[in-house]
Amino acid sequence: SFRQAQEYCESRGGYLAVIDDDAENTALYDYVMHDLGLEDAYFGLTDEKTEGQWEWVDGSPYWYDNWLEGQPDNANDGEDYALFFYKDTPYTWNDGDFGKDHDTGTVVFLIEWNGQ
């Protein structure tokens, strides 16, 4: 779950990644999708408290985003978590349900430590 991912990150002295600008967005996307060859990865942006009010997990102001056109759409009720998704336009974000629909049961998420 998203909560378990947060707890995992915190137990290692970090938090789910916060993306502040285009450069960081590009670097993280390239690392996940190209360097690691993964299909998706969640990071620390959520609207689980109030639908449509997106918040970074570290309390940073929500001023930067890079949503795919038409996203976020909460298509499956419960799509409260931002992610990179291989089927979407590169470098854009989608909203997802934190892996509830994954066949493998594996969810990839990005950890950040002290702004890195």
Side-chain angles (χ1 to χ4, degrees):
S1 72
F2 188 77
R3 187 80 43 229
Q4 289 170 316
Q6 284 183 293
E7 290 171 4
Y8 177 86
C9 294
E10 289 169 6
S11 75
R12 282 149 181 77
Y15 49 90
L16 289 165
V18 172
I19 302 174
D20 295 323
D21 57 37
D22 283 333
E24 186 174 19
N25 188 68
T26 298
L28 288 174
Y29 183 93
D30 284 344
Y31 176 69
V32 169
M33 303 305 213
H34 300 145
D35 296 351
L36 299 178
L38 299 172
E39 293 185 348
D40 57 45
Y42 287 88
F43 44 90
L45 185 62
T46 179
D47 74 343
E48 69 179 355
K49 288 181 187 173
T50 304
E51 184 61 36
Q53 288 187 324
W54 291 89
E55 300 176 320
W56 292 108
V57 295
D58 73 343
S60 295
Y62 174 64
W63 64 271
Y64 173 81
D65 65 46
N66 198 33
W67 295 109
L68 175 69
E69 187 177 332
Q71 298 297 332
D73 64 358
N74 199 35
N76 297 318
D77 272 343
E79 290 189 339
D80 295 327
Y81 314 102
L83 76 152
F84 295 123
F85 186 52
Y86 81 102
K87 290 183 180 179
D88 294 337
T89 303
Y91 306 102
T92 61
W93 306 349
N94 199 334
D95 57 333
D97 59 9
F98 212 76
K100 294 175 189 165
D101 60 356
H102 285 216
D103 294 332
T104 64
T106 302
V107 177
V108 175
F109 53 89
L110 300 168
I111 301 175
E112 181 171 349
W113 288 273
N114 296 324
Q116 298 184 1

